[in-house]
Each structure stands twice: as C-alpha cells, then as structure tokens.
Amino acid sequence: MDRRKFIYLLSGTACLGIAGKVGFELTAKGEIINSAEKGLGNKRWAMAIDLFRLKKKNTYFACIEACHNAHNVPEILNKKHEIKWIWRENFKHAFIEQEHKNLPQKITSLPVLLLCNHCNRPPCVNVCPTKATWRRSDGIVMMDWHRCIGCRYCIAACPYGSRSFNFIEPKPHIHNITEDFPARTRGVVEKCTFCAEYIVKGEYIKQPDCVAASKGAIVFGNLNDKNSEVYKLLTTKFSIRRKPELSTEPEVYYIIEDEEV
Amino acid sequence: MLEKAFQGSRTYWTWIIFLLLLIVIGVYFYLKQFSTGLGITGLSRDVSWGFYIAQFTFLVGVAASAVMVVLPYYLHNYKAFGKITILGEFLAIGSVIMCMLFIFVDMGQPLRIANVFLHPTLNSPMFWDSVSLLGYLILNVIISIVTLDAEKKGIKPPSWIKPIIVISIPWAISIHTVTAFLYSGLAARPFWMSAIMAPRFLATAFAAGPALLIILCLFLKKISKFDVGKEPIQNLAIIVTYAMLLNVFFILLELFTALYSGIHHHAEHFQFMYFGLDGNYTLVPWMWISTFLAILAIIFLLIPSLRKSDKTLLWGCIFVFSSIWIDKGLAMVVTGFIPNPLGYVTPYWPTMPEIMISIGVFAVGILVITGLYKIALTVRGELKSM
C-alpha cells in the first residue's frame, strides 16, 4: 500500500466513523429517553380547574405563591422581564376566541388561572432546536435548563404565552430559596413542569403545589384511569380548553359550571 | 490572494479603521449584554424576538440573492454577468456571516450554541436553518476562491466546481425558504402563518439583494476603474423591477386574505402596523414610509428612461432597499408578537445597546465584504488609486 492509498483509507475510515456516530446520535436518543421513562406507563397527567369553585375559595394567590415559592420563580416587577409559571388572567384574555359581549357577567368576571397546558401535540417541543424541551411518555412537557440555548423559539411557538425567558439574572429576585429545587440562570426559558419532581416510580408522591393550595378547586390526576377524580369530573361537567382549534390538545381543562345551578 | 486585502491606500485604511472602531463599540456593548442578560435590549416576555432576528431574516435574503447573478451566468451562460458574479458571491459570504452573528447575539446562552449540532433535532426548522446557512457559506467560499484563483492564473476553473455551483443555486433558494418556515409553521402567530411567506421572502430578497449589488457596482465605478458595464446593471435592474412588483403583489395578497376574510386575529396585526392598536403606534410612520418608498421605487423602475439612467436607477435601488428593509428588518418580526396570543399589546423598540451591537455586527459584515471586494478588484488589476 502506498502512502496516498493509506491516507485515503484513513480518511475514509474516519468519515465512516463520524457518520456512524452521527447516525447513532440521531436514532438512538429516543430509545435512551424511552428506557429512562419506562414505568411512566400508560398515563396521561391532566388538570381540571373549576373556575366557579376557584372564585368561591379565592385561592388564586395561594396557588401562585405555593408554586412560585416551591420552584424558585423570581418575583420581577418589570412586566417585560416577568417570570410566571402560573398566573391570574381575565376571562376575556384567557379565552380570547370564546368571549362575546352577551356572555353572563358572572362568567366573564371569572378570573382564570393560566399555566402550561402540557399539550399532547406541543408546538414548543416541535420547534426546540436542541431537545431542551420534550414531551414525556406520561404527557408532561419537560425542560432541561442546562441544555436550553435561550433562542426563545418555543416562546414564539407557544399559543398560550406559557413560557418565560430569564432576561435578567433571576437569583436576586428569589425571596426564599427552596434548596431541593434548581434555580435557573439568566438566558434560559422556563415554565410549569406539572411538578414532575414529585413523581416517584411513575406516581405522584404528593399533589402538585397549586392543586394542594387550591382547596379543591383544582383537580389533578391520570386521565387514562377511569377511576381517577379528574376523569370523573371531566366526563360529568362542562369544560373547555384554550384555543382547541389549534389542535395542540391541551391537558388543562376549565370547568365552567356553577354548582348552585 | 488574501494578502491583497492588506494593501491599500489611505482612504481604504481609514475606512477599515472606521469599521474596526464600530466593531469595538459593538463588542463593548455585547460584553455588557453577555454579563447582564438580554434584559439590556427592548425585548420582553411578549415580544421575545426583535431587531436582531429581523436583521438576520433580512440578511438571509441578501445572501440568497447572489443566485440572481449566479444562475444566469452559469446555467444560461449569460456572459454579461461574468464580472459581477464574484461580487454577488462575496456579498453572499458577508451576509451569511452577519446572519450567523445576529443569531449568536440573540442567544440567551451563547456558549451553549453547539447544542444545536450536538443534539440535532430534525423536527426544528432552526436546526435546518443552521445547516442550510452553514452549507451556503461553505459553498460560496469554495466557489469564489476556486473561480477567482482560476481567473488570476488565467486558466479555466476546474471542471469539478461546476456541479458545486449548480448545487449552490437551489441551496440559495433553500436558505430563504427554510428561514420563512421558521415563521410560517407557527399556529400561535397568525400574522406569520401564511403559505406566501416563503415566496414573499424570496421576492423581497431578489429585489433588495440585486438592488444593493447595483448600488455597490455604481459605487465601485465611481471610486475605481472597475466598471461592470451598462448591460449587466440594466439586466439586474429588470430583475429588481420584477421582484419588487412581485413583492408588492404578494403584500396585497396578504392584505386581501387577512382583511376580506375579516378574521379578527389576522387583521389586527395589519391594523397594528398601519394604523396602530390600543394606543401603540410605533410602526405606523415607518410602514407608511415603506409604502411610499415602494411606490416611488416602482415609478423609478418602471419608467424606462428613469431606469436606464444610472443616476435615477441608483435612487430607485435605494428606495427598493429601504422600503424592504423597513418591512422585513423592522416590522415583520415584531408584528408577529403584537398583539400577543392573549390579546395584549406590548410595545417594542430596540434600545441603544441593542442598536450598537447590531451596528457592530453590520460592521463585521461590511469589513468582510470590503476585504473580499478589494481582493477581487486587485486580482483583476482594475484599481485606479485605492
């Protein structure tokens, strides 16, 4: 073998090696994630928010505070740089397509709690260029704050305004640090994770923080389980989802049925 | 060949130092942004993309427009474009570099940018955009070096370059199509979710890019002996005319669909741009200036006597370029976010640091283009006194 042939052979082998590695990265990733998620099983975590009960119990701020405290969400007063995982919104803005001027006032005056919808077909996951946000097999749309490059494409793609970006260093704006939950750094996107940190072996060891603080106005559970409270509630009461026409299939439902009627 | 960029007259060096100064200022503000976060810009939770991404989008168009000289020259053997082909390719190189820098300065975590290639995500248009831009840069660098080197030696370019040139033609179309897909695939933003986004991007590209090339050729003619001749300029002018007419036609189509269908969430973005919404009028004067410039441009380009005179053609091209820049480099990205999906109007305007960083990026691109043009002109031995 002469020198030229040897170099050709060497570079050819190197190219094959690189191509093989790239091929592996492209195809194997899903399997690795899947094996890590084994045991999550045939679950579909979902939330039902009863707007009339929420108003009666008036637990909006308790829910927000419980969530934001537990997850080290900074309190930034400048609206432009605000971070929010769950927040209170007017009916008119929350259900922008459904609103009409002759709706009964008792409905249009209902405040609404908004959070990530954990869509079954999440557009944010579609657009993320680094898989820093992805959908788990139990339906939770997760985030990796160490992989996010801060391109904010997911914010552009989310039809619900559920994502926040750390425009400034968040840590000085966190009042009480919760030690066992990570704080974020500036330059990454964050949002509600359905309190996935409470899941052990596929089951919640305690209720998500907003659910616990809502005094029964928010019900959470596995929608694939016909005995679950959330399933029973959604199959007996009238509920709506935000922007259903976009086919994102949100897993956060809003029950609009006055108990007294 | 590269050494030719380092030999030049006093004027040349003054220009280079001026650009370097702008770059230093840009770097200073970028370091500030890097250490405190994107809060230094006018961006917000509601308007999360702004001036940087808009410049990126506009410059992808300028880069793609090189195909308007490459295609006639190489595919149709249109010899008159022989002299300006290299200028088009060099303009593309400078533009792609600016595109990449604008993406870079927009990142919240720029040091993690390699994640795009470490974790390739085939379902993300942004991944494909990075691939196509990088590929386009490599193609243009190879093509321009090889063809210019052959020209310098007075020989024919090697035959293997021909297929690469042919590939670069659909590739140029692809970079702007994929860039349009960044926007047009988002159900959350009705203003962008339009099938005509990609063709409209291409029309604006093929108007603004060649218009800039004409401006540059006329400028080079003035400061050096380099004269591409009347014919290629006039043919470029016809390309600009057609593309600009198509662009205006596409804008009218967009307006028709949004306004005639009467769907509130489509129409109110246009309302924001042209008439203001909820007391916010930031883009209104700009959009009317853009419209006025587009009309002027069409008058200047359509009347043969105006198009055929260098002086009025120059003005026509300036009008085309500015009209499209306002539309694409200022309004298009921001309007997608206003109003936001919940119906709120959050004003956006770039801050001083944001503009200084952008000027810095432009200076890098112009520096690259200056150097490359210097090489091209020196190789051809056609410089008067630079």
Side-chain angles (χ1 to χ4, degrees):
Chain A
M1 190 187 294
D2 64 10
R3 195 161 61 179
R4 176 174 291 192
K5 263 192 185 155
F6 178 72
I7 291 172
Y8 280 162
L9 198 68
L10 203 67
S11 47
T13 322
C15 284
L16 273 178
I18 293 168
K21 170 75 178 151
V22 170
F24 177 78
E25 292 281 339
L26 289 181
T27 52
K29 204 115 251 167
E31 281 169 31
I32 292 168
I33 290 172
N34 284 345
S35 67
E37 289 189 359
K38 254 181 202 153
L40 296 184
N42 183 28
K43 297 214 172 68
R44 186 65 66 248
W45 298 114
M47 182 178 276
I49 303 179
D50 186 330
L51 292 183
F52 277 103
R53 187 175 286 190
L54 192 62
K55 191 175 184 187
K56 206 172 293 162
K57 303 279 180 196
N58 194 18
T59 41
Y60 306 101
F61 295 104
C63 294
I64 296 168
E65 209 179 283
C67 167
H68 285 189
N69 275 342
H71 300 109
N72 293 325
V73 176
E75 196 187 338
I76 295 166
L77 298 176
N78 181 351
K79 273 225 169 278
K80 288 190 157 190
H81 301 157
E82 206 179 13
I83 310 275
K84 40 192 187 186
W85 284 28
I86 179 167
W87 73 101
R88 190 175 183 255
E89 189 58 80
N90 302 326
F91 189 91
K92 190 178 138 190
H93 289 286
F95 299 103
I96 189 160
E97 281 85 5
Q98 273 119 343
E99 195 262 351
H100 69 79
K101 68 173 195 283
N102 295 321
L103 274 176
Q105 213 255 331
K106 67 168 184 178
I107 288 183
T108 53
S109 66
L110 284 173
V112 183
L113 275 182
L114 299 186
L115 65 156
C116 170
N117 278 307
H118 294 273
C119 305
N120 276 318
R121 301 174 66 227
C124 54
V125 170
N126 258 351
V127 301
C128 177
T130 61
K131 300 192 189 87
T133 189
W134 73 98
R135 187 175 166 277
R136 301 169 17 141
S137 56
D138 59 358
I140 296 180
V141 176
M142 272 304 278
M143 279 217 65
D144 182 344
W145 294 304
H146 298 281
R147 187 184 282 190
C148 175
I149 58 172
C151 71
R152 312 186 295 295
Y153 199 1
C154 53
I155 298 185
C158 176
Y160 306 105
S162 296
R163 290 173 164 267
S164 308
F165 178 74
N166 285 282
F167 282 98
I168 55 172
E169 186 60 50
K171 282 174 198 114
H173 303 274
I174 306 173
H175 302 310
N176 305 302
I177 292 261
T178 302
E179 295 289 346
D180 46 9
F181 197 81
R184 274 72 60 196
T185 170
R186 66 167 185 277
V188 299
V189 173
E190 59 179 84
K191 67 166 196 77
C192 154
T193 61
F194 259 2
C195 290
E197 70 274 18
Y198 299 152
I199 300 178
V200 174
K201 291 186 183 160
E203 295 293 340
Y204 275 84
I205 50 165
K206 67 179 209 183
Q207 284 188 316
D209 295 302
C210 59
V211 180
S214 72
K215 294 192 179 156
I218 307 178
V219 171
F220 185 81
N222 177 10
L223 206 51
N224 282 352
D225 174 6
K226 299 212 158 133
N227 295 315
S228 69
E229 200 186 341
V230 68
Y231 178 84
K232 286 177 187 159
L233 206 57
L234 289 178
T235 47
T236 51
K237 287 197 163 190
F238 175 70
S239 62
I240 56 173
R241 299 190 286 184
R242 295 172 67 203
K243 302 197 182 191
E245 72 279 9
L246 300 183
S247 308
T248 52
E249 299 173 16
E251 287 297 13
V252 175
Y253 300 78
Y254 294 90
I255 295 171
I256 308 186
E257 222 173 89
D258 201 343
E259 281 165 343
E260 282 131 43
V261 178
Chain B
M1 217 154 41
L2 211 56
E3 77 282 354
K4 301 207 162 47
F6 295 97
Q7 304 152 354
S9 66
R10 222 186 149 84
T11 339
Y12 177 75
W13 280 109
T14 315
W15 174 240
I16 298 286
I17 286 164
F18 172 67
L19 290 174
L20 287 173
L21 194 72
L22 293 180
I23 295 171
V24 169
I25 297 172
V27 168
Y28 169 77
F29 281 102
Y30 181 70
L31 288 176
K32 231 171 149 176
Q33 179 188 302
F34 184 78
S35 56
T36 58
L38 277 159
I40 203 172
T41 65
L43 296 169
S44 60
R45 196 181 187 277
D46 284 345
V47 185
S48 47
W49 281 344
F51 202 69
Y52 296 149
I53 293 295
Q55 301 323 302
F56 152 78
T57 308
F58 178 76
L59 288 165
V60 173
V62 177
S65 74
V67 76
M68 284 290 111
V69 285
V70 171
L71 190 147
Y73 181 60
Y74 287 107
L75 275 195
H76 299 281
N77 207 15
Y78 181 64
K79 292 282 181 242
F81 275 177
K83 271 182 154 179
I84 50 171
T85 306
I86 193 79
L87 300 184
E89 286 160 351
F90 280 164
L91 184 61
I93 292 175
S95 304
V96 176
I97 289 172
M98 285 188 268
C99 289
M100 290 173 160
L101 285 173
F102 271 116
I103 289 286
F104 185 79
V105 298
D106 188 66
M107 293 293 119
Q109 285 287 337
L111 299 180
R112 295 181 189 166
I113 197 137
N115 281 358
V116 176
F117 296 102
L118 291 176
H119 310 286
T121 312
L122 305 188
N123 45 276
S124 173
M126 199 175 276
F127 167 72
W128 289 108
D129 212 27
S130 323
V131 171
S132 65
L133 273 180
L134 201 62
Y136 191 63
L137 179 64
I138 294 168
L139 283 175
N140 271 290
V141 168
I142 295 175
I143 293 168
S144 49
I145 288 179
V146 170
T147 52
L148 192 64
D149 190 52
E151 196 179 317
K152 185 182 163 201
K153 291 177 182 146
I155 53 171
K156 275 184 81 148
S159 56
W160 57 263
I161 197 73
K162 188 78 194 236
I164 293 181
I165 292 169
V166 173
I167 290 170
S168 83
I169 292 168
W171 203 289
I173 309 288
S174 88
I175 61 167
H176 220 20
T177 307
V178 180
T179 306
F181 287 174
L182 282 179
Y183 302 101
S184 65
L186 301 183
R189 312 284 171 182
F191 179 68
W192 295 337
M193 207 185 73
S194 157
I196 212 167
M197 195 62 119
R200 215 187 125 194
F201 271 16
L202 288 165
T204 51
F206 299 155
L212 180 60
L213 204 53
I214 292 177
I215 297 170
L216 288 174
C217 285
L218 293 175
F219 176 70
L220 287 178
K221 190 174 154 185
K222 204 163 178 185
I223 60 158
S224 74
K225 266 192 250 162
F226 184 79
D227 184 2
V228 294
K230 190 100 185 149
E231 197 191 334
I233 297 250
Q234 279 306 310
N235 279 301
L236 271 182
I238 288 169
I239 292 173
V240 175
T241 312
Y242 273 113
M244 188 61 188
L245 286 170
L246 263 180
N247 172 36
V248 172
F249 177 56
F250 288 164
I251 293 175
L252 294 174
L253 294 183
E254 286 258 42
L255 283 170
F256 173 79
T257 309
L259 301 182
Y260 189 81
S261 70
I263 300 175
H264 188 58
H265 300 295
H266 288 257
E268 60 188 0
H269 293 283
F270 290 97
Q271 193 192 332
F272 166 72
M273 280 205 300
Y274 289 101
F275 301 105
L277 197 64
D278 283 0
N280 192 306
Y281 304 96
T282 33
L283 288 179
V284 176
W286 290 94
M287 286 319 291
W288 288 108
I289 292 173
S290 173
T291 309
F292 178 66
L293 287 173
I295 295 168
L296 269 187
I298 287 174
I299 293 171
F300 271 60
L301 289 170
L302 267 188
I303 298 172
S305 59
L306 293 179
R307 189 177 64 239
K308 281 177 182 145
S309 142
D310 276 0
K311 207 170 177 182
T312 35
L313 175 63
L314 179 66
W315 279 110
C317 288
I318 291 171
F319 297 151
V320 166
F321 190 83
S322 341
S323 169
I324 292 175
W325 182 80
I326 293 172
D327 183 31
K328 218 172 158 188
L330 204 60
M332 193 279 297
V333 171
V334 175
T335 307
F337 291 100
I338 303 174
N340 83 346
L342 278 77
Y344 287 109
V345 172
T346 306
Y348 164 83
W349 197 249
T351 57
M352 197 271 288
E354 200 173 357
I355 290 173
M356 294 319 285
I357 292 169
S358 302
I359 290 176
V361 173
F362 277 120
V364 172
I366 295 169
L367 183 72
V368 170
I369 293 167
T370 307
L372 290 175
Y373 274 26
K374 180 78 173 30
I375 293 172
L377 301 195
T378 319
V379 164
R380 289 180 179 167
E382 282 162 333
L383 276 182
K384 196 160 47 183
S385 64
M386 266 190 86

